[in-house]
Amino acid sequence: MTERCASCGTTVPPLVVVAVHHAGSGGGWTHRACASCLARERLIPLAFHPRDQDGARLTYPEIVPGELVATLAPLGESPALAAPVGRLLAAVARTKDRALDADQRHAAHDAARAAVARLRKAARR
């Protein structure tokens, strides 16, 4: 069976897994995307999703500029991106923590901006 991009239907590799759904009695599905769809839909490869995530599609947060997402898309599941994407997602999650006071929230936003800078640096390598 030929693998296809779930969004545009292309079979041109490389296709990157961006989501999975496990069926209770077996089977299920795997959602793959081409580099063009990764960029257009701002999709994060499944390999970089947080461990506690359920396998659903995950998109880059708004703090990541579109031009950076477009630069990351052709890199797919490059191991060099794993740590920066993980730090980015953790930092962005912290910005949404309602238990933070103003100073902590400001620090969380600074950490998210720094994570974007590290991701940009990793993409240039």
Side-chain angles (χ1 to χ4, degrees), residues 8 12 15 21 66 73 81-82 93 102-103 114 122:
C8 69
V12 178
L15 296 177
H21 175 73
L81 300 179
D103 290 337

Side-chain angles (χ1 to χ4, degrees), residues 13-124:
L15 296 177
V16 177
V17 175
V18 294
V20 295
H21 175 73
H22 303 285
S25 61
W29 52 263
T30 301
H31 184 123
R32 291 176 177 79
C34 64
S36 176
C37 291
L38 283 173
R40 185 180 68 253
E41 297 179 32
R42 301 179 58 89
L43 296 170
I44 298 175
L46 183 68
F48 305 146
H49 289 201
R51 297 282 179 226
D52 62 349
Q53 215 255 349
D54 64 358
R57 292 167 37 131
L58 185 62
T59 58
Y60 281 102
E62 290 296 319
I63 193 169
V64 181
E67 52 84 14
L68 178 54
V69 173
T71 301
L72 296 170
L75 301 175
E77 298 171 318
S78 169
L81 300 179
V85 171
R87 285 193 291 270
L88 169 72
L89 295 176
V92 168
R94 184 130 169 87
T95 67
K96 297 175 183 176
D97 184 347
R98 295 187 184 270
L100 300 181
D101 64 30
D103 290 337
Q104 292 170 320
R105 193 172 308 110
H106 182 72
H109 283 280
D110 287 346
R113 285 189 289 276
V116 170
R118 285 190 299 269
L119 188 57
R120 189 179 300 279
K121 185 177 179 181
R124 281 193 296 254

